[in-house]
């Protein structure tokens, strides 16, 4: 089954063609980073307009690259929630047009479920059940992946997400957007014990997160140094911040795995590209005899291949198709 997949939930326009949920025939991402860089973050209206300009041409190129003809496609899958509403609407409208014109089933895909599915592409032998940390610009969730289509959130952030914390700290330090990537690089040369940032325990849930105190503490530290005219030790701050965020996520994830008896662990979302996170989990999983599944770096951040993978399972395991009245939603929980 060859699925044309579309992703436009934030600031990347992406189209892919995926065979049977696991084999990527073509995957293209048109990044808008350059358009948002000067603002230090994504400007929603600019993002929607960029999607509108890029999506049809990108679909044409992706189809050509796959070697398929449009008549060969079996279905069209699209991210419909959660995300920036103007951005989502562009992808959903385009997918509906394709579905109508080619008479193809339309499959609506939840953005976070698709991040998890990136693991099916990179790890051909991975099957649910497993436990997964989804960490992106807007979300930090620990989920039980019970089947290809059913997930249960057991921990989530009460305020900011891990990626957002990286991005805001980066902006304050004058580090380029998106901050997580650059902080990860700068951290490699820094002393991770140079600064201590607070890691809170969230009341009433062992696996929930709160990043707002950590974010404020880093920002305050940077402001204090600036006020005193002291050069900001960028690499040390980046290394200390990365260590705090990563150990927080690793602790909650491994604790959840222990308590709920999971021996298969995966990570997903933009922040799953973090080199320390990957290294730390590898070390712990090797020591504990747990299997660790990582998405390839190119499938960590937003892409459409993961939408094609999840779309395949929504269709084949859940029979989940949508009508032409499908809408997009800015917010939607996983379960
Ligand atoms: O999943 P994603 O591409 O988009 C959303 O759905 O939000 O995630 C983007 C987030 C950004 O906050 C970015 O700074 C972060 O992922 N990110 C990283 C790394 N690469 C991207 N954070 C930490 N380390 C990285 N290497
Ligand atoms: Zn995402």
């Amino acid at each position: 089954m060859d699925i044309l997949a579309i992703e436009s939930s934030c600031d990347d326009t992406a189209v892919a063609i995926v065979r049977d949920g696991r084999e990527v025939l073509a995957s293209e991402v048109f990044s808008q980073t350059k358009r948002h860089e000067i603002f230090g973050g994504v400007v929603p209206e600019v993002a929607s307009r960029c999607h509108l300009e890029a999506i049809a041409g990108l679909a044409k190129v992706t189809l050509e690259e796959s070697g398929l003809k449009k008549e060969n496609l079996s279905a069209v899958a699209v991210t419909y929630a959660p995300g920036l509403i103007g951005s989502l609407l562009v992808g959903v409208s385009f997918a509906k047009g394709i579905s109508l014109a080619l008479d193809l089933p339309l499959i609506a895909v939840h953005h976070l479920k698709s991040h998890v599915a990136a693991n099916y592409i990179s790890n051909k032998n991975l099957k649910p059940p497993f436990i997964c940390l989804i960490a992106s610009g807007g979300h930090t969730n620990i989920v039980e992946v019970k089947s290809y289509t059913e997930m249960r959130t057991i921990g989530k952030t009460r305020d900011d997400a891990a990626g957002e914390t990286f991005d805001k700290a980066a902006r304050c330090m004058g580090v380029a957007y998106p901050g997580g990537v650059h902080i990860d690089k700068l951290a490699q040369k820094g002393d991770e014990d140079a600064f201590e940032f607070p890691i809170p325990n969230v009341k009433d849930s062992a696996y929930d997160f709160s990043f707002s105190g950590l974010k404020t503490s880093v920002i305050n530290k940077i402001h204090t140094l600036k006020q005193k005219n002291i050069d900001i030790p960028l690499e040390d701050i980046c290394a200390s911040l990365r260590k705090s965020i990563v150990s927080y996520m690793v602790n909650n994830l491994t604790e959840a795995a222990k308590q709920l008896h999971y021996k298969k662990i995966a990570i997903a979302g933009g922040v799953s590209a973090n080199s320390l996170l990957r290294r730390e989990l590898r070390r712990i999983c090797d020591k504990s005899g747990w299997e660790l599944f990582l998405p390839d770096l190119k499938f960590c951040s937003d892409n459409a291949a993961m939408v094609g993978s999840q779309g395949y399972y929504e269709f084949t395991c859940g029979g989940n198709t949508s009508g032409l009245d499908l809408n997009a939603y800015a917010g939607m929980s996983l379960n």
Side-chain angles (χ1 to χ4, degrees):
M1 184 172 185
D2 293 331
I3 296 185
L4 175 74
I6 291 154
E7 151 63 36
S8 69
S9 64
C10 189
D11 62 336
D12 289 314
T13 319
V15 182
I17 295 169
V18 180
R19 178 165 290 170
D20 298 333
R22 301 265 177 171
E23 189 189 346
V24 181
L25 302 186
S27 175
E28 288 295 329
V29 180
F30 177 77
S31 167
Q32 302 177 5
T33 301
K34 287 269 167 279
R35 301 285 283 271
H36 301 285
E37 213 166 38
I38 48 164
F39 305 106
V42 178
V43 182
E45 183 170 338
V46 173
S48 317
R49 290 177 183 279
C50 288
H51 287 307
L52 203 54
E53 283 167 12
I55 200 158
L58 200 67
K60 191 165 179 280
V61 168
T62 311
L63 189 65
E64 279 163 14
E65 198 190 299
S66 73
L68 298 184
K69 298 256 173 291
K70 52 183 187 293
E71 297 73 32
N72 306 131
L73 295 170
S74 327
V76 53
V78 63
T79 310
Y80 78 116
L84 298 174
I85 193 65
S87 291
L88 288 166
L89 285 169
V90 175
V92 168
S93 306
F94 185 74
K96 282 190 197 185
I98 299 270
S99 159
L100 182 64
L102 299 178
D103 198 19
L104 295 176
L106 178 64
I107 309 166
V109 174
H110 190 287
H111 184 57
L112 296 189
K113 286 188 180 173
S114 70
H115 269 303
V116 174
N119 281 286
Y120 303 135
I121 298 168
S122 302
N123 305 284
K124 303 289 185 229
N125 59 343
L126 174 62
K127 290 188 180 104
F130 57 92
I131 195 165
C132 185
L133 167 78
I134 311 170
S136 69
H139 298 89
T140 311
N141 291 33
I142 296 175
V143 299
E144 287 183 90
V145 183
K146 292 183 164 285
S147 73
Y148 285 109
T149 54
E150 289 164 284
M151 294 181 198
R152 191 169 81 96
T153 303
I154 53 166
K156 61 176 188 295
T157 182
R158 301 271 177 103
D159 39 58
D160 301 319
E164 193 179 345
T165 309
F166 278 121
D167 295 343
K168 293 272 163 61
R171 182 152 77 177
C172 189
M173 289 186 282
V175 168
Y177 163 84
V181 186
H182 300 285
I183 288 184
D184 195 11
K185 278 194 194 124
L186 285 162
Q188 273 149 32
K189 291 190 194 139
D191 172 5
E192 62 180 22
D193 297 317
F195 297 95
E196 205 166 309
F197 298 120
I199 298 181
N201 270 326
V202 180
K203 271 200 186 134
D204 308 324
S205 165
Y207 316 128
D208 274 359
F209 298 97
S210 167
F211 286 100
S212 67
L214 178 56
K215 186 181 82 178
T216 309
S217 160
V218 184
I219 291 174
N220 284 347
K221 174 58 72 189
I222 299 161
H223 284 159
T224 310
L225 291 169
K226 276 184 187 165
Q227 275 159 8
K228 290 183 180 163
N229 273 330
I230 299 172
D231 283 343
I232 298 172
L234 266 190
E235 291 162 350
D236 290 348
I237 292 188
C238 290
S240 305
L241 175 64
R242 182 178 71 163
K243 183 191 170 193
S244 302
I245 295 179
V246 166
S247 47
Y248 194 16
M249 292 190 298
V250 167
N251 281 345
N252 285 15
L253 176 62
T254 52
E255 196 49 37
K258 248 185 250 161
Q259 296 301 329
L260 299 168
H261 310 291
Y262 279 96
K263 292 194 159 62
K264 287 201 297 191
I265 295 187
I267 55 175
V271 180
S272 67
N274 188 272
S275 57
L276 181 65
L277 176 64
R278 295 168 85 96
R279 217 166 39 239
E280 267 301 286
L281 283 174
R282 169 65 61 213
R283 187 182 62 75
I284 291 169
C285 288
D286 284 352
K287 207 172 84 189
S288 315
W290 294 339
E291 273 185 286
L292 176 65
F293 298 91
L294 301 170
D296 288 338
L297 289 180
K298 65 174 180 288
F299 299 128
C300 290
S301 52
D302 293 343
N303 65 88
M306 65 187 195
V307 179
S309 176
Q310 184 61 25
Y312 172 78
Y313 291 109
E314 293 292 341
F315 188 77
T316 54
C317 305
N320 294 333
T321 55
S322 296
L324 289 172
D325 57 348
L326 173 69
N327 215 326
Y329 302 92
M332 180 173 290
S333 67
L334 260 172
N335 41 307

